[in-house]
Amino acid sequence: RPYAFKTAGVPIRMSFAMTRPDRRFTFIFEESAAAAAASSDGGGEAAPTVIFVPQYQYVREDELEVSVSDGTYTLDWANQTLLYTHDPNTPPGRRGRPPRHSVTLRRRKLSERREARESQALASGGSLGRGSDGGLGERERDISVVSVSSQARESEVI
């Protein structure tokens, strides 16, 4: 399951809903005084929080949706890690408490994954199913060949 193994602050809450279809993981932490001092002394950039993102739970990269409260993140799919750098200029919480930051991982629904792939294909100039000449796309062509060859085998047996 996903977990934060290096935190730029003090962990407040970590949850993982393994039985839900979206496999939602949420990690909330408070910026520590030491992390705040280091980011203000060291040029303003906060130390990253490192989260393990298991491919066992999120099988393909396009299945994963990441949302963060502030700052930036980088997903290293090959090493199954997410590096999250929070914004050191986040204002303090209520009653002067240190700012809280959050990272949420969620598995996209099948329909959302299809939409993402379709929009990515259209953005890269690709086509969806039909070739530029209106013919069958490569995947559909493969399916047709399999269907024709299985019909031919059946007719040969008779």
Side-chain angles (χ1 to χ4, degrees), residues 42-55:
E45 189 166 318
T49 293
V50 182
I51 298 174
F52 173 65
V53 182
Q55 292 176 6

Side-chain angles (χ1 to χ4, degrees), residues 8-63:
V10 179
I12 300 295
R13 186 177 63 148
M14 185 165 48
S15 64
F16 177 57
M18 183 173 53
T19 57
R20 286 181 51 158
D22 68 355
R23 304 255 170 40
R24 185 177 301 267
F25 167 79
T26 304
F27 179 62
I28 300 172
F29 67 97
E30 242 175 31
E31 187 174 323
S32 67
S39 65
S40 63
D41 293 343
E45 189 166 318
T49 293
V50 182
I51 298 174
F52 173 65
V53 182
Q55 292 176 6
Y56 178 78
Q57 297 295 340
Y58 309 99
V59 178
R60 293 192 334 249
E61 190 172 357
D62 68 341
E63 288 186 355

Side-chain angles (χ1 to χ4, degrees), residues 144-158:
S144 298
V145 169
V146 169
S147 299
V148 170
S149 62
S150 62
Q151 289 171 356
R153 268 195 305 258
E154 289 173 11
S155 63
E156 289 172 10
V157 172
I158 296 175

Side-chain angles (χ1 to χ4, degrees), residues 3 5 13 18 37 66 75 78 80 96 101 106 109 124 126 129:
Y3 65 93
F5 61 86
R13 186 177 63 148
M18 183 173 53
V66 179
L75 180 63
Q80 302 183 82
H101 308 282
R106 140 183 130 74
K109 294 177 185 174
S124 66

